[in-house]
């Protein structure tokens, strides 16, 4: 049984209740986590505050950096163990789980180096005055994390917050807690003071809500669905608590006739099958210039038919979806496609070894999806790619911007002037030109516009969100 991690101690929830942990590859229960409540959140916030007052604020920025670096190394040493945990808890194929563990280590490495480089400014002002700005931590920050990339999102969010001098209370998704509990234990082993990193597990409407409401939480980093993002904003607004929202997407690949298709095709496929399509930045829409629409669909269709889906341990192209309700959600979208006579170009194959009790979905390529259809507007959060043709550049931009989301877009074209024009006119937090975020981009600021959220995490920019600027004015003349 897994326990909460509060003040470097493993503790049971005061509720005495637990939640079963299910392996998505076979649908079987293999562990349980604490079903925590508001009292457990209060204990974690108190421990964090105590840590800040007694220890964390007295540690120099350079020493914080050394601690983060020790954690980066420790995570790297335990990468296989963490990947195995994630593989079972989230159904991630082995290679993807290992990539997530490597990314977690890299986040801590990056933020280790950032701790003592967060500078203020001096500002020219009236004669006889000197003005300077300090970047101060918020204090105790709350981190609400989804199930799709627990280690990566913990790394970017908690790594940035700690680097800026905060202490953290983390509420992982009820579907994906195990790796984060282990990382918190590793942090204690390398010397993080008790209370610097606390993990409290449980349901969102119970413990997530309690975290967002707690008056001791001075900033909330929320990564998850737009609908829960709205709830978080409402709760935070009542007490004027700042929030960073990393929400969903309906991100397009825009492929022009002059594109290098040999480079584009593997990126297009990976962007929709990685983590079984359960990725905020999944490339779930494919906009193709009319003249190459048919040949590109033919090539992609052949590639989709070769994709294999199965248990995480088999390390195939695609693993299971996280849970049965997610599988049902994808089935509902696909049955809508049938009702609307949307044609399927191709589907991958679920291997015979995949147990019926697992939550599998074959990658599916759909064509001529009407731009206002819910398949082209809403997050499916499964391996479903919706293709549609465009006439010219203006039409491509119109289609690209035609959803409520604005997270990521990719433009595939050899025309340099067009690359710039498209990058300017697409409303999204990230635009990739002739690539799709290769290498994870720990160093690159990341976030959305419109319903994809606001604020930026990752990169050095995240430190602005995880700190508060104080302006100090001296009169000496
Ligand atoms: P979700 O919104 O259901 O849950 C996210 C977290 O919020 C979980 O920890 C959950 O327990 C908690 N939660 C749920 N209800 C709550 C409430 N009332 N109060 C407080 N907390 C509550 O999202 P999910 O299904 O876990 O994750 C998928 C979503 O996350 C997708 O929309 C995806 O696009 C988004 N996402 C965004 C990014 C990004 O960087 N933009 C990254 C990953 C995932």
């Amino acid at each position: 049984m897994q326990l909460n991690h509060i003040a470097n101690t493993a503790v049971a929830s005061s509720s005495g209740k637990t939640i079963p942990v299910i392996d998505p590859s076979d649908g079987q229960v293999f562990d349980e986590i604490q079903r925590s409540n508001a009292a457990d959140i209060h204990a974690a916030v108190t421990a964090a505050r105590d840590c800040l007052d007694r220890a964390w604020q007295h540690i120099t920025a350079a020493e914080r950096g050394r601690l983060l670096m020790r954690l980066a190394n420790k995570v790297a040493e335990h990468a296989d163990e963490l990947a195995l945990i994630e593989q079972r808890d989230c159904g991630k194929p082995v290679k993807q789980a290992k990539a997530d563990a490597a990314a977690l280590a890299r986040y801590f490495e990056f933020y280790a180096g950032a701790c003592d480089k967060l500078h203020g400014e001096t500002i020219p002002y009236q004669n006889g005055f000197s003005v300077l700005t300090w970047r101060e931590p918020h204090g105790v920050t709350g981190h609400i994390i989804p199930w799709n990339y627990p280690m990566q999102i913990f790394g970017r969010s908690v790594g940035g917050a700690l680097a800026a001098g905060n202490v953290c209370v983390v509420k992982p998704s009820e579907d994906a807690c195990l790796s984060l509990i282990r990382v918190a234990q590793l942090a204690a082993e390398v010397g993080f003071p008790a209370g610097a990193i606390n993990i409290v597990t449980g349901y969102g409407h119970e413990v997530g809500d309690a975290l967002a409401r707690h008056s001791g939480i001075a900033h909330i980093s929320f990564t998850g669905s737009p609908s829960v993002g709205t709830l978080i904003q409402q709760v935070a607004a009542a007490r004027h608590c700042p929030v960073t929202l990393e929400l969903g997407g309906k991100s397009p690949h825009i492929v022009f006739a002059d594109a290098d298709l040999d480079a584009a095709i593997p990126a297009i496929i990976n962007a929709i099958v990685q983590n079984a399509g359960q990725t905020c930045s999944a490339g779930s829409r494919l906009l193709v210039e009319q003249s190459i629409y048919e040949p590109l669909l033919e090539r992609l269709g052949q590639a989709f038919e070769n994709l294999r889906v199965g248990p995480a341990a088999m390390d195939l192209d695609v693993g299971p979806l996280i849970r049965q309700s997610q599988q049902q959600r994808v089935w509902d979208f696909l049955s809508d496609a049938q009702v609307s006579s949307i044609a399927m170009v191709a589907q991958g194959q679920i291997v015979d070894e995949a147990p019926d009790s697992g939550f599998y979905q074959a990658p599916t390529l759909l064509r001529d999806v009407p731009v206002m259809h819910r398949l082209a507007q809403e997050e499916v959060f499964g391996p479903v790619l919706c293709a549609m043709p465009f006439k010219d550049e203006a039409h491509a931009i119109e289609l690209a911007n035609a959803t409520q989301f604005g997270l990521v877009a990719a433009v595939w074209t050899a025309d340099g002037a067009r690359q710039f024009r498209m990058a300017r006119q697409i409303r999204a937090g990230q635009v990739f030109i002739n690539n799709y975020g290769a290498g994870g981009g720990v160093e690159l600021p990341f976030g959305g516009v419109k319903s994809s959220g606001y604020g930026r995490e990752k990169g050095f920019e995240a430190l602005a969100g995880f700190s508060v600027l104080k302006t100090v004015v001296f009169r000496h003349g």
Side-chain angles (χ1 to χ4, degrees):
M1 184 203 288
Q2 303 291 324
L3 299 173
N4 288 332
H5 182 95
I6 298 178
N8 284 354
T9 309
V11 283
S13 165
S14 56
S15 74
K17 295 179 186 165
T18 60
I19 300 170
V21 178
I22 294 169
D23 179 344
S25 292
D26 61 13
Q28 304 303 310
V29 174
F30 70 96
D31 205 340
E32 47 187 344
I33 55 166
Q34 302 300 303
R35 180 174 170 178
S36 309
N37 56 24
D40 303 311
I41 283 292
H42 184 65
V45 174
T46 305
R49 186 74 235 179
D50 195 49
C51 174
L52 189 67
D53 294 343
R54 285 169 195 259
W56 199 240
Q57 67 174 348
H58 305 296
I59 294 174
T60 63
E63 186 52 30
R64 274 207 310 278
R66 286 184 203 113
L67 262 178
L68 281 168
M69 195 60 218
R70 285 210 285 277
L71 183 54
N73 290 336
K74 192 78 170 175
V75 165
E77 276 166 34
H78 288 258
D80 286 349
E81 177 199 347
L82 289 167
L84 206 59
I85 294 172
E86 204 82 311
Q87 178 192 313
R88 188 132 195 236
D89 199 15
C90 305
K92 288 192 189 244
V94 180
K95 272 195 282 304
Q96 290 182 27
K98 286 188 174 176
D100 284 6
L104 173 64
R106 174 71 187 121
Y107 275 114
F108 283 122
E109 180 185 57
F110 178 84
Y111 284 116
C115 290
D116 57 358
K117 294 163 192 74
L118 187 60
H119 297 160
E121 293 179 322
T122 57
I123 301 176
Y125 192 50
Q126 298 176 18
N127 287 340
F129 289 83
S130 288
V131 181
L132 54 96
T133 59
W134 291 333
R135 289 221 159 262
E136 298 187 330
H138 293 282
V140 182
T141 49
H143 303 258
I144 302 178
I145 292 181
W147 45 261
N148 60 346
Y149 289 88
M151 284 197 280
Q152 291 216 30
I153 292 166
F154 179 90
R156 77 188 196 194
S157 166
V158 172
L162 291 169
N166 303 282
V167 287
C168 304
V169 177
V170 180
K171 205 305 270 179
S173 165
E174 53 274 29
D175 291 311
C177 295
L178 307 191
S179 60
L180 303 192
I181 294 170
R182 185 69 186 121
V183 174
Q185 292 165 353
L186 296 176
E189 284 175 30
V190 300
F192 274 80
I197 302 174
N198 305 278
I199 313 275
V200 184
T201 64
Y203 290 120
H205 66 281
E206 295 177 350
V207 73
D209 182 68
L211 173 64
R213 284 179 197 280
H214 197 289
S215 60
I217 296 286
H219 176 277
I220 302 167
S221 159
F222 173 78
T223 307
S225 58
S227 56
V228 178
T230 303
L231 294 176
I232 299 287
Q233 281 184 98
Q234 286 168 343
V235 167
R239 59 186 188 84
H240 310 292
C241 177
V243 177
T244 300
L245 293 179
E246 297 276 6
L247 308 177
K250 193 72 190 175
S251 300
H253 280 276
I254 305 162
V255 189
F256 286 90
D258 63 353
D260 175 356
L261 295 185
D262 291 338
I265 286 172
I268 291 168
I269 292 170
N270 186 54
I272 192 64
V273 304
Q274 180 179 314
N275 205 28
Q278 306 166 115
T279 304
C280 57
S281 54
S284 52
R285 291 188 297 150
L286 177 65
L287 318 183
V288 187
E289 192 164 7
Q290 186 75 63
S291 61
I292 59 159
Y293 189 58
E294 296 302 336
L296 178 56
L297 286 191
E298 191 173 330
R299 284 181 68 177
L300 277 172
Q302 282 164 9
F304 263 65
E305 278 165 11
N306 289 329
L307 291 168
R308 294 195 311 144
V309 186
M314 288 183 73
D315 202 17
L316 303 175
D317 304 300
V318 186
L321 300 168
I322 188 75
R323 56 175 183 242
Q324 204 277 324
S325 63
Q326 192 63 27
Q327 187 184 40
Q328 187 60 51
R329 177 185 165 88
V330 179
W331 289 348
D332 289 347
F333 271 101
L334 290 176
S335 75
D336 268 12
Q338 268 189 335
V339 170
S340 307
S341 305
I342 292 173
M344 183 191 297
V345 179
Q347 230 176 11
Q349 314 147 37
I350 300 172
V351 297
D352 293 341
E353 295 87 336
D356 290 341
S357 52
F359 311 132
Y360 299 97
Q361 170 61 47
T364 304
L365 175 58
L366 302 174
R367 61 172 292 163
D368 310 336
V369 181
V371 62
M372 295 317 290
H373 194 281
R374 69 186 280 255
L375 268 156
Q377 290 289 326
E378 297 174 23
E379 244 187 335
V380 175
F381 234 51
V384 179
L385 179 58
C386 298
M388 61 190 84
F390 65 81
K391 293 193 292 283
D392 54 21
E393 206 175 299
H395 190 208
I397 292 163
E398 183 189 321
L399 293 177
N401 289 338
T403 76
Q404 61 168 320
F405 295 109
L407 194 57
V408 170
V411 181
W412 297 90
T413 178
D415 181 336
R418 180 154 62 198
Q419 294 169 2
F420 273 89
R421 287 194 300 271
M422 293 296 290
R424 281 265 183 232
Q425 292 184 73
I426 289 169
R427 290 206 61 207
Q430 288 67 224
V431 180
F432 299 123
I433 308 291
N434 293 330
N435 75 95
Y436 203 81
V442 165
E443 309 83 349
L444 310 179
F446 185 85
V449 298
K450 304 197 283 183
S451 293
S452 293
Y454 54 78
R456 293 292 176 269
E457 294 194 344
K458 302 171 70 166
F460 205 77
E461 180 70 21
L463 302 184
F466 284 123
S467 61
V468 177
L469 198 75
K470 181 182 277 177
T471 306
V472 187
V473 182
F474 296 89
R475 184 175 62 80
H476 45 70

